[in-house]
Amino acid sequence: MQNSFEILQNIDLFNGFSEEEIRESIHCLKGYTKKYQKREIIFSKAAPLPTFGIVLTGTIFLSSEDITGSTFIFTELSAGDIVGETALQFTQTGVEYDVTAATDCEILFFHKENIVQPNKVICALRARIIENLFTLLLQKNQELYHKLDIVSHKNLRNKILHYLHLQSQKSDTQHFTIPFSREELANYLIVDRSALSRELSRMQDDGLITFSRNTFQLL
Amino acid sequence: MQNSFEILQNIDLFNGFSEEEIRESIHCLKGYTKKYQKREIIFSKAAPLPTFGIVLTGTIFLSSEDITGSTFIFTELSAGDIVGETALQFTQTGVEYDVTAATDCEILFFHKENIVQPNKVICALRARIIENLFTLLLQKNQELYHKLDIVSHKNLRNKILHYLHLQSQKSDTQHFTIPFSREELANYLIVDRSALSRELSRMQDDGLITFSRNTFQLL
DNA sequence: CACCTCTTGTTGCCTAGGCAACCGAAATTT
DNA sequence: AAATTTCGGTTGCCTAGGCAACAAGAGGTG
């Protein structure tokens, strides 16, 4: 917590909260931060935790490995995003994905009980926290719809274009950097890496895009 | 509303509410029900509404059509599920999907303003409604993760198996009925209908499943 | 019952993209 | 800066599955 109050004041969970209220909320929810190094496992299907978290810095991936051993990246989260919200459900069905650090990162974890079992200990800010969590969930929903929209295309070029357009919109410029390496992008789009490279080259030849490593430009 | 209080008392939105409280909530949120016939459009990308809804009876599809004209079914919703929750976001980004009646159905709509602009008119039950909406959103999240998990498989057989297993779990039996026709299932799994039929036949030959129309049995 | 429509299965054909293998370039380590 | 590892592009091969077209059932209707 120490010196990083600017970060906390800018995340949606504490939207509209004073510094004092943030401190109080963290205390109420038994918040603590933890740092992870790139590639470290944050939590995995095997061992669901009784906590949920907010990404403070860095990037994390939610992914899953299927029977054939190929990985699928559900989504990529960064500062302000909620992770592990499935823990907040009454009917605990276990986590469906692995969470790993895509870059070095820091996460603020909270115990869930004061959210889901309010009858025990209640803190004055709980209702406002719930409202902000509500907003975070809506964002996550939106994100998941987008993801489904992207992978719903039957052909590779449209998948790629759809993804790149969304990224371009997000960064509000034609020239942008994506948070994925080539292999990661392939796992995100559920395609083969070599097929992805091949199609990207074709798209460049066709004058649709230019790119170099993970920076792209839509033409 | 009239005579269908049993339905209302069983949906999660009104979990823990007395009959009187349900009535009050509906008034506060300006709730009204509307019936749709099979195949009717409930709302579409083109015209986002300022309302969200809860399915009371029947089944609805969230779907989207891509540039090439093929339809993709995001998910299928039934009694108690929330629809149009994207309307509850501050940053209105428009609906990303079309909503259509998969069967004759009835939906309870609410105006969103008393949820997202609480400073105007406030009603005593708002906080509890938010809490229940929160739960509904968590369920929807879970549902979307499942959907992503299903379509993440690169090969058709695994997609089908994953879907059928989830359905089997839901209905808690080996012998179950799915809410999709063959073509709808193909659009849900993002595959070609004939390829789906072919693979289902092969799976039956291989002794993995038996089926007839939309009832299946896992072996 | 005859007619029509809607749904599902089947099959031939063909191509998009999966898989494997290799190579050079970039990044990281020592 | 040499050594090593990681990453991206390329290419040949091959098959899963998309597409189109047809046929057979099922169900609905007059």
Side-chain angles (χ1 to χ4, degrees):
Chain A
M1 273 328 60
Q2 45 281 21
N3 50 16
S4 52
F5 253 91
E6 323 78 62
I7 298 175
L8 294 177
Q9 271 169 329
N10 284 319
I11 63 178
D12 288 333
L13 180 63
F14 296 132
N15 182 33
F17 282 41
S18 71
E19 192 165 325
E20 184 46 38
E21 287 169 334
I22 293 176
R23 244 183 267 279
E24 196 181 326
S25 306
I26 290 173
H27 179 257
C28 163
L29 298 176
K30 299 184 185 141
Y32 60 98
T33 61
K34 201 166 165 193
K35 291 184 183 182
Y36 294 88
Q37 292 193 313
K38 186 170 178 174
R39 274 171 236 275
E40 243 185 291
I41 292 170
I42 298 169
F43 47 81
S44 66
K45 278 188 208 176
L49 297 178
T51 58
F52 66 99
I54 303 286
V55 181
L56 295 182
T57 59
T59 303
I60 67 177
F61 290 157
L62 309 195
S63 62
S64 158
E65 204 164 308
D66 76 0
I67 329 143
T68 71
S70 65
T71 350
F72 166 59
I73 298 179
F74 283 88
T75 184
E76 148 264 331
L77 304 178
S78 55
D81 291 328
I82 188 171
V83 56
E85 73 278 7
T86 34
L88 293 169
Q89 296 217 89
F90 291 108
T91 54
Q92 269 290 63
T93 48
V95 195
E96 320 286 327
Y97 43 74
D98 300 320
V99 182
T100 51
T103 65
D104 290 359
C105 64
E106 190 170 10
I107 298 182
L108 173 55
F109 286 103
F110 296 112
H111 284 263
K112 62 170 188 177
E113 66 258 29
N114 282 342
I115 294 294
V116 297
Q117 299 168 342
N119 38 341
K120 292 200 167 176
V121 189
I122 208 146
C123 73
L125 290 162
R126 181 174 174 277
R128 282 172 63 200
I129 295 172
I130 293 261
E131 292 227 9
N132 285 347
L133 278 175
F134 186 74
T135 304
L136 284 175
L137 279 191
L138 282 174
Q139 285 172 19
K140 190 94 167 212
N141 259 9
Q142 187 87 359
E143 183 66 30
L144 294 175
Y145 278 123
H146 277 153
K147 179 64 200 287
L148 275 172
D149 219 355
I150 290 168
V151 301
S152 74
H153 296 276
K154 281 210 190 89
N155 81 57
L156 183 44
R157 179 168 292 199
N158 287 337
K159 264 191 203 175
I160 298 173
L161 280 176
H162 196 146
Y163 173 72
L164 291 179
H165 274 121
L166 280 179
Q167 287 302 306
S168 167
Q169 278 172 25
K170 268 190 194 169
S171 61
D172 220 0
T173 153
Q174 299 289 89
H175 196 260
F176 53 92
T177 302
I178 66 169
F180 294 128
S181 73
R182 212 50 98 244
E183 181 163 13
E184 287 162 355
L185 181 57
N187 291 340
Y188 183 83
L189 299 177
I190 325 178
V191 297
D192 181 72
R193 184 190 60 80
S194 73
L196 174 61
S197 271
R198 174 169 47 201
E199 189 59 32
L200 283 172
S201 299
R202 281 185 194 150
M203 288 166 73
Q204 195 160 39
D205 293 347
D206 293 354
L208 291 173
I209 57 172
T210 57
F211 66 93
S212 152
R213 304 217 131 224
N214 61 343
T215 64
F216 289 80
Q217 181 161 17
L218 286 168
L219 304 176
Chain B
M1 274 328 61
Q2 44 283 19
N3 48 16
S4 53
F5 252 90
E6 323 77 64
I7 298 177
L8 294 177
Q9 270 169 330
N10 284 319
I11 64 178
D12 287 334
L13 180 63
F14 296 131
N15 182 32
F17 283 41
S18 70
E19 190 164 327
E20 183 46 37
E21 287 170 334
I22 293 178
R23 244 182 265 280
E24 196 182 328
S25 307
I26 289 174
H27 179 256
C28 163
L29 297 177
K30 300 184 183 139
Y32 60 97
T33 61
K34 202 167 165 194
K35 291 186 184 182
Y36 294 88
Q37 292 192 315
K38 188 172 178 173
R39 275 171 236 273
E40 242 186 293
I41 293 171
I42 297 170
F43 46 81
S44 66
K45 278 187 210 178
L49 298 178
T51 56
F52 65 98
I54 303 286
V55 181
L56 296 182
T57 59
T59 303
I60 67 177
F61 290 157
L62 309 194
S63 62
S64 159
E65 204 164 307
D66 76 1
I67 330 143
T68 71
S70 66
T71 336
F72 166 58
I73 298 178
F74 282 87
T75 184
E76 148 265 331
L77 304 177
S78 55
D81 290 329
I82 187 170
V83 55
E85 73 278 9
T86 37
L88 293 170
Q89 297 218 85
F90 292 107
T91 56
Q92 268 291 63
T93 48
V95 195
E96 321 284 328
Y97 43 75
D98 300 319
V99 183
T100 49
T103 64
D104 290 359
C105 64
E106 189 170 11
I107 299 183
L108 171 56
F109 287 104
F110 297 112
H111 283 264
K112 62 170 186 172
E113 67 259 28
N114 283 343
I115 293 294
V116 296
Q117 300 167 342
N119 38 342
K120 292 198 168 176
V121 189
I122 207 146
C123 73
L125 290 163
R126 180 174 174 278
R128 282 173 64 198
I129 295 173
I130 292 261
E131 293 226 11
N132 284 349
L133 278 174
F134 186 75
T135 304
L136 283 176
L137 280 190
L138 282 174
Q139 284 172 19
K140 190 94 166 211
N141 259 9
Q142 187 85 359
E143 183 66 30
L144 293 174
Y145 279 121
H146 277 153
K147 179 64 199 288
L148 276 172
D149 218 355
I150 291 168
V151 300
S152 74
H153 295 277
K154 283 209 189 89
N155 80 59
L156 183 45
R157 180 169 292 200
N158 287 338
K159 265 190 202 174
I160 298 172
L161 279 177
H162 196 145
Y163 172 72
L164 292 179
H165 273 121
L166 280 179
Q167 287 302 308
S168 167
Q169 277 173 26
K170 267 190 194 168
S171 61
D172 220 0
T173 153
Q174 299 289 90
H175 196 260
F176 53 92
T177 301
I178 66 169
F180 294 128
S181 73
R182 212 51 96 242
E183 181 162 14
E184 287 163 353
L185 181 57
N187 290 340
Y188 182 83
L189 299 178
I190 325 177
V191 296
D192 181 73
R193 184 191 60 82
S194 72
L196 174 60
S197 271
R198 174 169 47 201
E199 189 59 32
L200 283 172
S201 298
R202 281 185 195 151
M203 289 166 73
Q204 194 159 40
D205 292 347
D206 293 353
L208 291 173
I209 57 170
T210 57
F211 65 94
S212 151
R213 305 219 130 217
N214 62 343
T215 63
F216 289 80
Q217 180 160 19
L218 286 168
L219 304 175

